[in-house]
Every structure is written in C-alpha cells, then in structure tokens.
Amino acid sequence: MKLTRHVHQQIRLKNRLSTLVLLCALGGVAWLSIRYSYQADWTRTGANTLSPATQKLLQAMPGQVNITAYIKSGLPIRLQIANLIDRYSHLKPDLKLDFIDPNKDPQKARELNIGEEGLVVVEYQGRSEKLTFIDEATLTNALLQLTHAEDRWVTFLSGHGERAPEGEANFDLNRFGKELKRRRINAQTVNLARLPAIPNNSALLVIASPTVALLPGEIEIVKQYIQRGGNLLLLTDPGDHMLNFIWPVLGIHPLPGQIVDKAAKLAGIDDPSFVIVSEYNHHPITRNFQTLTVYPAAAGFGIDEDIAYESTSLFSSGAESWTETGPMTGTVRFEPDSAEKQGPITLAYALTRTLDDNNQQRIVAVGDGDFLANTYIGNAGNLDMGLRMVNWLIHDDRFIDIPAKTAPDRTLKLTTTNVSVIGFGFLIVLPLCLLGTGFAVWRRRRRR
C-alpha cells in the first residue's frame, strides 16, 4: 500500500486519539483511586487485617484520636508503627499519627521518662495511655481503656503517718495522685478517727506504709471492709509492724529483714538494698509489661498454708537475692544458718476471692512503698506498674484478647540438589537463553 500524505495524516490522528483515550483512562483510574479506596489482604491468616473486635471498637469511637510516637529518626520501627496505624486510620480517618524524635526535644523526653526503646502516647478525649510496646492487641486495649472511662474514687487512709496522695515530700505520693487524676481516678483521704467509715463511693482503699499503729476501732473498720469484699492496696516496708493485724486475715505475711539483691550492680546501683525486677509472672496486671521496675527498699512475702484467697505472685527478686536480717552496713552477705531466706523472693502478691454476689474481691500487697513515692516513681516502669495495679483493683482492666496471626508455614527448606539446580539455572541456563534469543533476533534482522 502506498503511503500518501492523507494516509500519514490518518495514522497520526489515530495515534493521537489512541494516546488521548489512554491518558483519559489513566486519569479516570487515578481519580477513582483517590475518591475510592480498596484494600485486599491475600495472606492466608489475614495478617494485614484488623480483628473484628478492633473494627467494632473503632466504629463505636466518636471524636479524634491522636497518637504520638516518640521514636528516634531512622529506626525501622517507625515504618512498622506507620503501617499498623494506617490500618486503623483506614477505618477511622480522624485517627492521627505524629512522629517526634526525642533527641530533638530532650525536655519532653525527660518529662515523659522516655527510654531507649521510645514511647507511644495515645490521647483521646483528654485522657492518655503510654505504650512502650505496640501491636494490635496493646493499641486496641489502650483505646478500650480510654473509651470506657468514668470518674472513680480511691480512698487513701490517713492519720497514721501514711504516704499522702497530695503530699509534696519525697516520701509522699503526689506525683502518683496526679497521674491517677489524669485518668479520671480521683484520690480522697479518710481519717477513721474522725470519720469512722470508709466512703461508699470508694472503689479501692489504699493503706500506704503507716508509721503509727491504728486504733482498735480503726482496725475493726478495716477488717469489716475486707470481710465485706472491699478492694485493697497495701504498701508496706521492711520492718513495718503497723499492719500486722491485717496479715492473718489475708493469709500472707512479710518475711523478716530486707531484700538484698546483687543484680542491682548490673544496673549501676551500688546500694544493695535496691531490687531491680525485669521478669513478671502471668497476671492481668503484668500482661504485656516488659519494662524494668525499681524497688529501693523491699520486704519479701511468705504465704500461709491456710489461705482463703486465690494468690498469685506478681514478681520476685532474683536468684542471687536474700532477706538480710542484719545491719545494712559494711560487708553484707547471706547467712544460711540464720533466719535469712535465699531468693527468689516474692515482692508482691495479688489476691482474689469470689463473693456471694459473684463479684470478685481484689487485693494487692507490695513489700515496698517507696517505688511509688515522689522520689522514685519516675524510675523505669514504676509509674506504669502502679497504674496497672490500681486499674486492676478497681476492675478497670477490660481486655480484648486478640490472638497472634502467624502463618502456618513461613519457612522454605531447600535440599542441596534444589540449591544446585536453582544456581545452575540462574547462572548458566538463563544467560545462555538470553544470548540465544539475542542471536536469533540479530540473525533474523540481518536476513531482511
């Protein structure tokens, strides 16, 4: 066919129309991709899809959620967090994520006590939760805690030299009280000598290291409160005998002496009276908790043979610890022939009892009140541990169990023969095929 000028014009017009149609199609696809989103999870276990429980929670949450990740720049975990939050924001567009490098804001890092692992702060309706580890389970449960919040009251016993939630002294619990307030947990004090009753609005009674003995009438009020099924947090210290009236009721007892742990030196602490805890027993309080906690002066606990409560040891000292009954001066060593006990030694017990109305009474006893004091509450995970204890004690421990999504078989096992065949194919066969194809094309064009 002879290519005339008219034919050339028709071909050019046809090519331009084809190009225009293709560009319009691409533009239409781009517009649709912006206006409508579609995601598909082709993994066998749905590893990239949020669980139905998470989806239901997000759909029921009104208002904006702000998530701030204090993670150093350049760390791969930033991308992992961004990918996880992207799944949440796909269902809840007003869930926002911001990254902040703590090295660029050292004042904020000190204020939030941000460690090397970083910190993720989740804020919703004026409340916040801090996470040192984030996955779907921890983030969803943090949102659950923020969503189902209502004002609660915690009563601190006073009048006997206890640590006060409003006190500013190093000994007191002012910083802890402020953190409770931020979570809509209100602290109030009661002096049983003036008001011989524990307030009815109290979800928890806290007895924090009294230094003066309670009066007989006050002791009776506390015992009746326990017998009725009241929740209780007990903070005691080595050598504290002011709570001796309560231990037979609970079925546990403080051990003589003070815990000494050689492992404290590994954390750079020369004082042997400091106990560093890094491992925790399975319990709702310690679920997914992976941060160190520091106990400056701790007493250990033993358990009675006849106990009316279900007991769980929350955490213990290390194997190289013991209860020192002698003076904490000079060279301190374990005396096996004395009343001293070799570690590990339980520092905290959680007790539960089912009442007649099917409600559960919850009690926690800790052998150190200093770990929540103003001086030490900022150390490692002390604050988070205290908040977890209070949340569990007031029955604010809602938890959505989201099972881990693991692929049935993510390993590919190749024999030596398989590896040899693959290597031979890529290194020899494939290059020869490419060379042969190129030679065939060259010969064909040369014959034209």
Side-chain angles (χ1 to χ4, degrees):
M1 184 180 70
K2 186 177 180 180
L3 296 178
T4 63
R5 183 177 179 182
H6 179 69
V7 173
H8 273 293
Q9 289 178 347
Q10 287 183 332
I11 294 175
R12 283 197 295 268
L13 179 61
K14 184 178 180 180
N15 290 339
R16 289 173 183 174
L17 288 175
S18 300
T19 303
L20 180 61
V21 171
L22 179 61
L23 291 176
C24 290
L26 291 175
V29 171
W31 178 80
L32 289 173
S33 66
I34 295 174
R35 188 173 181 86
Y36 304 100
S37 61
Y38 173 74
Q39 293 181 348
D41 184 1
W42 291 359
T43 59
R44 182 174 179 180
T45 59
N48 299 311
T49 303
L50 296 177
S51 66
T54 298
Q55 296 180 31
K56 184 177 179 180
L57 175 63
L58 293 175
Q59 292 168 0
M61 289 183 67
Q64 182 170 320
V65 177
N66 295 314
I67 299 176
T68 305
Y70 294 89
I71 306 294
K72 294 179 181 179
S73 301
L75 293 182
I77 193 174
R78 279 200 170 200
L79 179 59
Q80 298 173 16
I81 293 175
N83 290 336
L84 175 64
I85 301 303
D86 182 64
R87 294 184 229 160
Y88 281 77
S89 59
H90 180 69
L91 294 173
K92 185 172 176 59
D94 55 354
L95 188 148
K96 307 298 181 182
L97 170 66
D98 292 313
F99 284 102
I100 295 179
D101 189 340
N103 291 336
K104 297 180 181 179
D105 194 352
Q107 182 176 355
K108 192 69 173 180
R110 287 191 297 269
E111 179 184 339
L112 295 175
N113 191 32
I114 300 174
E116 288 295 322
E117 71 279 4
L119 184 72
V120 177
V121 180
V122 185
E123 297 175 296
Y124 180 66
Q125 294 184 347
R127 301 178 67 237
S128 64
E129 288 284 339
K130 299 177 183 178
L131 305 175
T132 55
F133 170 80
I134 184 169
D135 60 3
E136 182 185 349
T138 55
L139 180 54
T140 296
N141 282 285
L143 294 174
L144 181 66
Q145 292 292 333
L146 296 173
T147 303
H148 295 87
E150 52 189 30
D151 288 330
R152 290 138 300 173
W153 289 89
V154 173
T155 299
F156 286 75
L157 191 65
S158 65
H160 316 89
E162 295 92 345
R163 305 173 189 270
E166 73 281 354
E168 298 286 350
N170 294 339
F171 170 89
D172 288 320
L173 309 176
N174 177 261
R175 293 179 61 185
F176 186 55
K178 289 181 178 178
E179 290 296 331
L180 292 176
K181 181 67 175 177
R182 290 181 62 243
R183 289 158 176 79
R184 298 176 67 177
I185 302 175
N186 304 299
Q188 60 186 356
T189 59
V190 61
N191 187 332
L192 296 179
R194 298 179 181 176
L195 179 65
I198 296 171
N200 293 330
N201 67 342
S202 178
L204 171 67
L205 175 64
V206 180
I207 304 179
S209 308
T211 57
V212 177
L214 277 67
L215 298 174
E218 296 175 311
I219 292 176
E220 189 60 29
I221 293 174
V222 173
K223 285 184 175 180
Q224 291 178 3
Y225 172 80
I226 297 173
Q227 291 171 358
R228 292 195 304 267
N231 301 317
L232 182 66
L233 173 61
L234 293 171
L235 302 179
T236 188
D237 295 295
D240 183 3
H241 303 291
M242 303 307 167
L243 294 176
N244 286 351
F245 72 92
I246 211 168
W247 305 124
V249 178
L250 303 182
I252 59 175
H253 57 271
L255 298 174
Q258 177 176 341
I259 296 178
V260 173
D261 195 347
K262 291 182 178 180
K265 289 187 177 181
L266 299 177
I269 301 175
D270 294 329
D271 190 343
S273 65
F274 277 71
V275 180
I276 310 297
V277 177
S278 59
E279 296 182 359
Y280 306 89
N281 299 323
H282 179 70
H283 190 269
I285 291 177
T286 56
R287 182 186 284 118
N288 296 327
F289 190 76
Q290 302 175 349
T291 311
L292 294 173
T293 48
V294 181
Y295 303 87
F301 283 105
I303 189 166
D304 301 341
E305 293 183 2
D306 185 17
I307 180 172
Y309 293 85
E310 293 185 13
S311 62
T312 301
S313 171
L314 294 178
F315 45 83
S316 306
S317 59
E320 293 187 296
S321 65
W322 70 90
T323 54
E324 177 59 47
T325 56
M328 298 289 292
T329 56
T331 302
V332 181
R333 60 171 59 91
F334 175 60
E335 301 291 344
D337 297 330
S338 66
E340 297 178 353
K341 181 181 178 182
Q342 182 72 45
I345 303 163
T346 297
L347 275 75
Y349 268 110
L351 309 176
T352 58
R353 181 179 61 151
T354 302
L355 307 175
D356 294 336
D357 55 0
N358 290 328
N359 288 327
Q360 187 182 64
Q361 180 184 21
R362 298 180 176 183
I363 298 173
V364 169
V366 185
D368 179 26
D370 282 322
F371 90 102
L372 290 180
N374 294 332
T375 302
Y376 299 105
I377 195 171
N379 290 342
N382 285 20
L383 172 60
D384 289 337
M385 176 58 70
L387 293 174
R388 282 169 168 260
M389 288 178 176
V390 171
N391 283 335
W392 180 74
L393 286 166
I394 63 177
H395 295 260
D396 191 12
D397 59 334
R398 304 175 183 88
F399 184 81
I400 298 176
D401 191 9
I402 299 175
K405 299 175 182 177
T406 57
D409 187 5
R410 296 190 301 177
T411 59
L412 177 62
K413 296 181 180 180
L414 299 175
T415 64
T416 304
T417 303
N418 298 143
V419 175
S420 300
V421 170
I422 294 174
F424 181 79
F426 276 99
L427 296 177
I428 298 177
V429 176
L430 184 60
L432 288 178
C433 290
L434 293 175
L435 287 174
T437 302
F439 180 76
V441 172
W442 174 76
R443 286 285 302 270
R444 184 177 178 183
R445 287 181 177 178
R446 190 172 182 181
R447 288 177 180 178
R448 289 180 179 178

